[in-house]
Amino acid sequence: MTWDHLPENPLDRPMWYALGGPQAALDVGQGPLRRIDPAYGPFAGCAPGHEQALATLVADGGEVWLVEPDEVAPPSGMRLVRSAPLLQMIADGEPEPYAPEADILPLGEADVAEMTELALATEPGPWGPSTWRYGQFYGIRIDGRLAAMAGERMRPAPGLAEVSGVCTWPEFRGQGLAARLIRRVMAEQRARGDVPYLHSYAGNAGAIRLYESLGFRARRTMVATILGKAE
């Protein structure tokens, strides 16, 4: 699948294209800025050459995250909190057959407290009160406790969907729960006609091996830049 009508591949700037396209309803930015509703997370993007406008997003404190091909230099009034190299991966090959598993359950509003506790403890990425609303999340319970979950996040163009929010409590790791949940999320995305993609911290070799075993391949390097108000 190609997006030749666009000036660049939307995967190169997933947040910018998501908020200008399939998830535009979540955009609360103005002018050259695109900023997702903060309840969903701290992500934003800006038109090239308008980086100074990012400072308005942290005027009252807080952080803003940008996922771009290169680190974004902090404009006047902002500081670099941290940056993290990422590996963007995509599963655009022939999918393997998938058979639903009875113990993989859809998660919803009744599960939000447990989802939030798990996400904040294991830090799969930014988590806000509405992050679970990006798309369908799935979980596995062990003895009634939410042991692991996975869901989705950015849709930068029709036909693309990000796997995200993959996390497992430490005491339940090593049982293959994450792999099973990712397969479930991917199956739903493909059923809609979407190609799954994701981001991994570049130094997380174990996670990258897992994603490769599930059919993902490295597409390109990216950087998560976290900016805050200058001190």
Side-chain angles (χ1 to χ4, degrees):
M1 183 176 296
T2 62
W3 294 269
D4 294 334
H5 62 292
L6 298 173
E8 62 187 344
N9 191 311
L11 284 171
D12 291 342
R13 303 192 70 207
M15 179 59 59
W16 175 258
Y17 280 99
L19 295 180
Q23 293 169 305
L26 302 180
D27 181 22
V28 297
Q30 295 181 347
L33 293 177
R34 292 176 186 169
R35 164 74 178 274
I36 199 160
D37 179 343
Y40 285 76
F43 296 101
C46 70
H50 293 271
E51 287 76 14
Q52 184 57 53
L54 291 167
T56 63
L57 301 180
V58 296
D60 297 324
E63 297 177 349
V64 62
W65 287 52
L66 300 105
V67 179
E68 304 278 347
D70 301 296
E71 182 178 302
V72 178
S76 176
M78 303 189 81
R79 63 184 175 90
L80 177 65
V81 177
R82 64 187 181 280
S83 65
L86 305 174
L87 180 65
Q88 186 183 85
M89 307 182 75
I90 188 167
D92 53 0
E94 188 67 25
E96 295 182 0
Y98 178 80
E101 300 177 81
D103 62 337
I104 295 181
L105 306 172
L107 301 176
E109 191 165 6
D111 306 295
V112 171
E114 284 183 282
M115 296 169 72
T116 300
E117 182 184 14
L118 174 55
L120 295 182
T122 58
E123 298 183 327
W127 186 272
S130 293
T131 299
W132 66 279
R133 297 182 185 274
Y134 273 120
Q136 183 62 62
F137 275 73
Y138 290 92
I140 295 175
R141 292 185 175 277
I142 296 178
D143 296 329
R145 182 185 179 192
L146 182 62
M149 69 176 182
E152 56 185 358
R153 188 166 58 195
M154 288 294 104
R155 298 178 183 174
L160 289 170
E162 181 184 18
V163 177
S164 185
V166 182
C167 49
T168 305
W169 282 109
E171 57 266 42
F172 296 117
R173 291 174 184 165
Q175 302 180 35
L177 304 184
R180 294 173 58 203
L181 287 163
I182 292 171
R183 288 191 186 98
R184 181 65 186 90
V185 173
M186 293 171 70
E188 174 158 315
Q189 292 172 336
R190 284 168 166 156
R192 298 195 305 252
D194 291 336
V195 174
Y197 76 99
L198 53 75
H199 295 96
S200 173
Y201 288 112
N204 193 340
I208 291 170
R209 285 195 298 270
L210 169 63
Y211 301 144
E212 288 175 337
S213 74
L214 296 172
F216 287 89
R217 64 171 178 86
R219 178 182 175 268
R220 67 163 302 156
T221 57
M222 301 282 283
V223 179
T225 304
I226 299 92
L227 301 176
K229 186 178 180 181
E231 296 177 349

